[in-house]
Amino acid sequence: MTQHTQPVDALIVVDVQSAFVVGDGAVPAADLIVERTTDLIARARRDGALVVHLQNDGPPGAEDEPHTPGWELHHPVLPGPRELVIRKPRDDGFHATPLGEVLAGAGVRAVAVCGVMSEMCVQATARTALERGYRVVVPYDAHATQDCPAVPGICEAVPAATVSRVAAYALGSDAEVTVPTADVTFTAPEITAPEITGPEFEAPEAGRADAAATS
């Protein structure tokens, strides 16, 4: 696990939705996560990298149930050939979504993964990216989760920061998990913009690709 990294050509922003970064349900230090993901998005756009916002579709009654205030993405999206939204039904951003096709179609070789929750959707998405042969960077200060509560007679509470660190290290030595946000750099993917656009990746809102598009 190295502290130095080469540029990545895609940024995957996982579930930075209102329910998880605003209000009573926000992760600890949500303001810092928003600040760091904002920085990553801005620099990825500037350098021509692909930016994918994953948006979790929670079940009925959940804080991220589709089309509720908590489900909305916190970061503004600039839809276009280099930035899109992909809705997902499970933790893994590749499961039943066009994410794999989008990355392959763009000629992406390396991804940075940030967002929430560290041990759930961030880890699951990063792990599948590794399995598919991508170089994966998980900036240690750009993903977060909730505290793990104590269970009487079984275990004490575990602070969120510890949960996040363990989740990242569990990805193994192939993932770059000690890189700070400030050291992540970006480059444009190989294939020109027209190659990664198309009706199969677009929903009624420009730049949005629903998981249902693959079913």
Side-chain angles (χ1 to χ4, degrees):
M1 296 180 183
T2 177
Q3 292 182 341
H4 305 285
T5 187
Q6 296 298 312
V8 300
D9 41 13
L11 173 66
I12 302 175
V13 185
V14 182
D15 300 351
V16 181
Q17 295 165 248
S18 294
F20 309 130
V21 295
V22 177
D24 294 341
V27 297
D31 289 349
L32 288 176
I33 293 302
V34 168
E35 176 183 318
R36 289 162 184 158
T37 53
T38 297
D39 174 54
L40 288 167
I41 292 167
R43 291 191 288 112
R45 288 170 175 162
R46 179 196 67 194
D47 295 337
L50 178 66
V51 179
V52 178
H53 301 264
L54 295 181
Q55 185 175 27
N56 194 67
D57 286 350
E63 54 195 352
D64 58 349
E65 178 183 352
H67 310 297
T68 63
W71 173 78
E72 298 296 335
L73 292 173
H74 185 76
H75 293 299
V77 178
L78 300 180
R82 291 291 184 213
E83 185 163 352
L84 72 161
V85 178
I86 295 179
R87 293 170 60 178
K88 63 184 184 64
R90 300 287 186 270
D91 287 1
D92 182 359
F94 289 88
H95 176 79
T97 79
L99 178 59
E101 296 167 73
V102 168
L103 298 180
V108 167
R109 296 181 177 179
V111 300
V113 183
C114 63
V116 297
M117 304 287 179
S118 301
E119 79 283 19
M120 298 172 69
C121 300
V122 171
Q123 187 196 73
T125 301
R127 187 177 300 282
T128 298
L130 286 168
E131 291 172 352
R132 292 186 176 216
Y134 294 102
R135 185 169 64 83
V136 175
V137 179
V138 183
Y140 75 83
D141 54 355
H143 63 96
T145 192
Q146 302 284 2
D147 296 325
C148 184
V151 179
I154 298 177
C155 62
E156 298 180 354
V158 181
T162 301
V163 178
S164 289
R165 183 56 61 89
V166 172
Y169 270 79
L171 290 168
S173 59
D174 289 336
E176 300 173 36
V177 300
T178 62
V179 179
T181 294
D183 287 354
V184 178
T185 59
F186 297 93
T187 189
E190 291 183 339
I191 297 176
T192 56
E195 297 293 334
I196 62 170
T197 61
E200 66 271 33
F201 301 133
E202 296 179 6
E205 296 178 34
R208 184 183 297 279
D210 290 356
T214 62
S215 61

